[in-house]
Amino acid sequence: ANKKIFTFLSMVDKRKNMHMEISKKILKLPKKQILQTPIYNSAVVEKMGEHLAPVELFAPHSESSKSYQSLWKEVERKIKK
């Protein structure tokens, strides 16, 4: 089976310079296996564990939900190649 593995950034804290610097460096790497949509750290993302559900189900209009939707669209495009 042809397996595709993609790297993405998760729980990136916008308030931390180190997180942002490392994110910028990673996103400049060859795009073949690096997804360009980061998932930023937020209370909504942390609550997925409490809700035992994806953020889209309990906070569908949040920025985090939009980020996960964008990330999934990226994955779909990549696996179709």
Side-chain angles (χ1 to χ4, degrees):
N2 185 8
K3 296 180 183 180
K4 294 184 179 185
I5 298 173
F6 303 108
T7 301
F8 71 98
L9 300 171
S10 179
M11 300 298 284
V12 176
D13 192 333
K14 290 182 187 180
R15 301 167 299 173
K16 295 185 178 179
N17 287 334
M18 184 177 73
H19 280 223
M20 298 309 292
E21 288 172 19
I22 291 171
S23 295
K24 286 178 188 175
K25 287 180 183 178
I26 290 172
L27 293 174
K28 288 180 182 177
L29 294 172
K31 294 175 176 35
K32 184 175 181 180
Q33 291 180 293
I34 309 268
L35 302 176
Q36 298 297 299
T37 305
I39 304 299
Y40 293 107
N41 190 24
S42 69
V44 175
V45 169
E46 291 178 4
K47 287 183 181 179
M48 285 193 293
E50 277 180 43
H51 291 276
L52 301 176
V55 69
E56 191 171 321
L57 292 182
F58 64 89
H61 303 292
S62 67
E63 276 302 310
S64 297
S65 179
K66 292 173 189 170
S67 293
Y68 275 108
Q69 290 172 25
S70 176
L71 182 67
W72 180 245
K73 287 177 187 173
E74 245 189 291
V75 169
E76 286 181 316
R77 283 192 303 270
K78 294 230 181 229
I79 61 176
K80 287 181 182 178
K81 288 184 177 181

